[in-house]
Amino acid sequence: MAQPPLIARKTIDQLRSQRWLAPDTMRGFTHRARLAQTGWNRDDFMNRPVVGIVNTWSDISTCHSHLRERAVKVREGIVRAGGFPIELPAMSLGEVWVKPTTMLYRNFLAMETEELIRSHPLDAVVLMGGCDKTTPALLMGAFSVNLPCIFIPAGASSNASFRGQKVGTGTHTMKFWHERRAGNMDDAAWRELEGCMTRSPGTCNTAGTASTMTAVAEALGFSLPGAQSIPAADAAHPRMCTQVGERIVEMVWEDLTPRTIATEAAFKNALKAVLVMGGSTNACVHLPAMAGRCGVKLSLDWWEQFNKEIPVLANLMPAGDALMEDFYFAGGLRALLKRIEAQLDLNCMTVTGKTLGENIATAQVFNDDVIRPLDNPVSREGIAVVKGNLAPRGAVMKPSAASKHLLKHTGPAVVFETFDDMMKRIDSPELNVTKDSVLVLKNVGPVGAPGMPEAGNLPIPKKLLEQGVRDMVRISDARMSGTHYGTCVLHVCPEAAVGGTLAIVREGDLISLDVAARKIELLVSEEEIAKRLSAWQDAKPATLRYGRSYAALYQQHVTQADDGADFDFLQGSELLPEPTIF
């Protein structure tokens, strides 16, 4: 492999692990003795780079349930290349299971990853994850320490079928749930679907947040070329893990660190990868947080800037009709990026020691329906940022997964103050709602929930489902699952719980959405808005507040969505001094 330019190869005495292992001191003796205690011979670890394997495996995280075995393959590669592996377990943020939301714990895992790396005698690290928040969290932590790292995507689960229909995890869960609530799906069919929707370990098999963020990792340059697209159950996946183990050792000697790779140009490449893939709106929260750890200010305006030049070319659910396994066989992410190479900065360095351009140079598309050519896109725009008096700092939505007739719409608000309020009233026959109403959910943002859950895909009221309605304009300060679809305006900023305009929306207020004009407006006079906001500040309506625990720390220090919902004290690119060895 070509060496990155202007980087001198390190020698063993320059490695940080030697501070722990090399000295002829009592503490150095203790470190070596403890490794001997666990069964290692002195030659196994002395004069070798020490590589950490931060593994988010757990029994209950189905996205990662195969990563215990994959870590064995990583270890084999590390040893083969002359390194010494140390596996370190980290919190597994399995979607579906972790309550109230994995987003509450993204910053927790980022902190854990950073401190695991900094506090141990590591020269480099392999990051193993893939489920939604694990990818940004692991990379955020690694960026803050700036040791060589490679990310291993867990891989998507296998294609699934229900009664002859291809089904996507999450996407069809919501579609079939609507049909069940409308009375069109009986118990037997529901149970049959339950047993066949997810067929293997791995992340959601659509272009949801998991596959979006692993695409970000590869486009940024932190995964081996093609790794993002390999299904979890494919034999190529363990082979890739072995290759990662071999490559990470070489990166130690090259001193190829994250700050060399994660440049502003690389983040722009990653953002374009999200757009061309038709990826999740959750990237609009994660990418600013990741970039901020490298001293890059990623503005919401970037999405609008590049949305004009990057169409959606991946025909993947929820915007399209294919699944991630189809995407893999069609050529995968390398082929998709090859389609837009004229819009990418191909000179960006990657973990291979080669540029992005070199990594995708030989990529081919094998299915023009799954990975569309530029003149036949799935959609002309992937993510839209709308602004106005209801969202002064912006809100996001996914036009490619919305209903075209609702992209310009004005309707009366049906307001839910909290998630519990919505769940209690959404299916009430007395709910004053029509197909033209705008559903508004408050207090589900970073501070208000806390944790900004995926509550933005509000359910359609049951009485409207029975009338055949399957989409409405829905507005909230929450997020939405990347597997879902619908005309949902998300991440309204500032959020209701900190006094954003969303907090003072009342039942019956007219709200106007015009996606083409990038406008969202509360059709109430400026004087009335000011009056209501003043009354809100005086009353300080009670939102859920924690007095202790991690949730209290979260509420006190989380930033707003447009800043990535990172902790204010974790932002910035400052590198901390090496830990003192007492």
Side-chain angles (χ1 to χ4, degrees):
M1 283 186 179
Q3 299 301 320
L6 304 177
I7 297 179
R9 290 179 69 82
K10 282 196 165 185
T11 56
I12 188 68
D13 59 292
Q14 294 175 312
L15 303 188
R16 71 187 295 270
S17 61
Q18 297 306 295
R19 297 178 63 233
W20 278 262
L21 297 175
D24 186 17
T25 61
M26 184 188 75
R27 187 56 64 202
F29 166 83
T30 302
H31 295 151
R32 296 186 295 271
R34 292 301 186 182
L35 286 173
Q37 179 184 2
T38 55
W40 294 103
N41 291 313
R42 208 172 192 275
D43 289 344
D44 293 331
F45 56 84
M46 289 299 288
N47 298 313
R48 293 172 179 260
V50 179
V51 179
I53 305 170
V54 177
N55 193 351
T56 54
W57 169 87
S58 92
D59 263 336
I60 203 166
S61 178
T62 50
C63 299
H64 299 171
S65 59
H66 57 306
L67 293 187
R68 173 184 272 179
E69 289 75 25
R70 298 295 185 267
V72 173
K73 304 302 290 184
V74 177
R75 296 173 74 98
E76 289 175 4
I78 292 169
V79 172
R80 184 179 302 151
F84 177 63
I86 296 178
E87 188 174 354
L88 301 165
M91 186 178 190
S92 192
L93 301 183
E95 288 291 335
V96 179
W97 289 109
V98 176
K99 306 301 180 189
T101 168
T102 51
M103 185 62 180
L104 180 64
Y105 297 104
R106 184 203 68 183
N107 295 346
F108 184 100
L109 177 57
M111 292 173 69
E112 183 181 20
T113 302
E114 178 177 349
E115 301 307 329
L116 279 173
I117 298 170
R118 180 179 292 115
S119 63
H120 287 94
L122 306 181
D123 301 306
V125 63
V126 173
L127 309 166
M128 303 188 71
C131 190
D132 294 17
K133 316 308 176 296
T134 56
T135 302
L138 290 166
L139 287 169
M140 286 162 67
F143 291 170
S144 292
V145 186
N146 201 37
L147 288 183
C149 68
I150 300 181
F151 175 78
I152 291 181
S157 59
S158 302
N159 280 8
S161 178
F162 172 68
R163 297 185 175 180
Q165 178 182 358
K166 187 178 290 186
V167 294
T169 315
T171 301
H172 278 87
T173 304
M174 178 63 75
K175 288 181 178 179
F176 285 125
W177 178 238
H178 280 163
E179 297 310 313
R180 182 161 171 78
R181 289 172 64 229
N184 299 329
M185 194 170 191
D186 61 22
D187 289 349
W190 188 244
R191 288 172 186 156
E192 183 182 342
L193 177 67
E194 182 181 296
C196 71
M197 175 162 271
T198 47
R199 294 183 48 243
S200 76
T203 57
C204 293
N205 56 14
T206 61
T209 307
S211 292
T212 299
M213 296 313 299
T214 54
V216 162
E218 183 170 329
L220 266 176
F222 285 93
S223 294
L224 295 187
Q228 182 269 350
S229 314
I230 303 172
D234 196 285
H237 198 270
R239 295 199 299 268
M240 176 267 293
C241 291
T242 306
Q243 291 168 350
V244 168
E246 294 174 348
R247 175 60 194 155
I248 191 65
V249 175
E250 186 64 13
M251 285 178 67
V252 173
W253 302 122
E254 294 170 2
D255 196 25
L256 183 50
T257 59
R259 303 290 175 86
T260 304
I261 298 168
T263 61
E264 180 174 308
F267 277 104
K268 289 179 177 177
N269 284 342
L271 188 150
K272 291 172 184 179
V274 175
L275 292 173
V276 73
M277 188 176 181
S280 169
T281 51
N282 284 313
C284 298
V285 179
H286 298 315
L287 267 170
M290 296 165 67
R293 300 298 186 93
C294 300
V296 175
K297 176 66 175 175
L298 196 157
S299 167
L300 274 179
D301 294 336
W302 282 16
W303 296 97
E304 283 305 310
Q305 176 186 346
F306 298 121
N307 204 23
K308 298 171 184 174
E309 50 183 85
I310 307 293
V312 178
L313 298 182
N315 185 23
L316 295 167
M317 296 181 192
D321 53 26
L323 295 173
M324 286 302 297
E325 192 169 19
D326 304 316
F327 182 62
Y328 173 61
F329 291 126
L333 186 69
R334 290 177 67 243
L336 183 63
L337 295 179
K338 183 74 173 175
R339 288 284 204 215
I340 60 164
E341 64 179 339
Q343 281 78 38
L344 298 174
D345 187 330
L346 300 177
N347 294 315
C348 289
M349 182 56 61
T350 73
V351 293
T352 62
K354 298 180 180 180
T355 64
L356 178 66
E358 291 175 290
N359 287 348
I360 67 172
T362 60
Q364 298 180 63
V365 175
F366 302 110
N367 186 324
D368 282 337
D369 182 56
V370 175
I371 300 176
R372 301 281 185 87
L374 287 166
D375 61 0
N376 183 31
V378 176
S379 173
R380 289 291 173 188
E381 52 185 0
I383 289 174
V385 178
V386 294
K387 293 184 179 181
N389 64 1
L390 189 55
R393 287 166 56 177
V396 303
M397 65 170 303
K398 194 173 181 180
S400 60
S403 299
K404 288 182 173 57
H405 72 282
L406 293 174
L407 294 178
K408 186 173 183 178
H409 179 82
T410 299
V414 176
V415 179
F416 303 100
E417 294 294 330
T418 64
F419 182 80
D420 287 344
D421 178 35
M422 181 195 70
M423 294 303 291
K424 288 174 183 175
R425 297 194 292 121
I426 193 72
D427 285 341
S428 169
E430 285 74 44
L431 187 69
N432 184 18
V433 65
T434 72
K435 65 181 179 61
D436 296 319
S437 298
V438 175
L439 302 183
V440 176
L441 177 59
K442 307 178 184 179
N443 295 305
V444 279
V447 174
M452 205 181 180
E454 291 180 337
N457 188 223
L458 283 68
I460 305 298
K462 186 174 182 180
K463 67 181 183 181
L464 296 184
L465 286 172
E466 292 169 346
Q467 297 171 21
V469 177
R470 292 297 182 269
D471 195 12
M472 299 173 69
V473 175
R474 289 160 275 179
I475 300 172
S476 74
D477 44 17
R479 298 176 302 107
M480 179 175 82
S481 169
T483 67
H484 286 175
Y485 58 92
T487 313
C488 301
V489 179
L490 310 157
H491 312 181
V492 170
C493 188
E495 64 174 301
V498 299
T501 310
L502 189 68
I504 52 90
V505 177
R506 293 178 181 173
E507 196 82 9
D509 285 347
L510 288 179
I511 294 176
S512 172
L513 172 68
D514 187 340
V515 178
R518 299 300 196 255
K519 287 287 187 181
I520 185 165
E521 296 285 341
L522 175 64
L523 302 183
V524 173
S525 69
E526 291 182 14
E527 293 78 13
E528 177 63 17
I529 290 175
K531 179 181 175 182
R532 291 186 192 180
L533 287 173
S534 177
W536 186 93
Q537 290 291 344
D538 290 341
K540 288 283 184 175
T543 54
L544 185 62
R545 286 289 193 270
Y546 288 84
R548 61 166 302 279
S549 83
Y550 170 76
L553 177 74
Y554 190 97
Q555 287 185 315
Q556 292 163 20
H557 292 282
V558 70
T559 63
Q560 287 293 286
D562 60 339
D563 283 331
D566 198 3
F567 286 159
D568 51 17
F569 62 87
L570 292 179
Q571 293 180 308
S573 55
E574 177 190 0
L575 293 176
L576 300 186
E578 285 290 341
T580 302
I581 297 179
F582 292 104

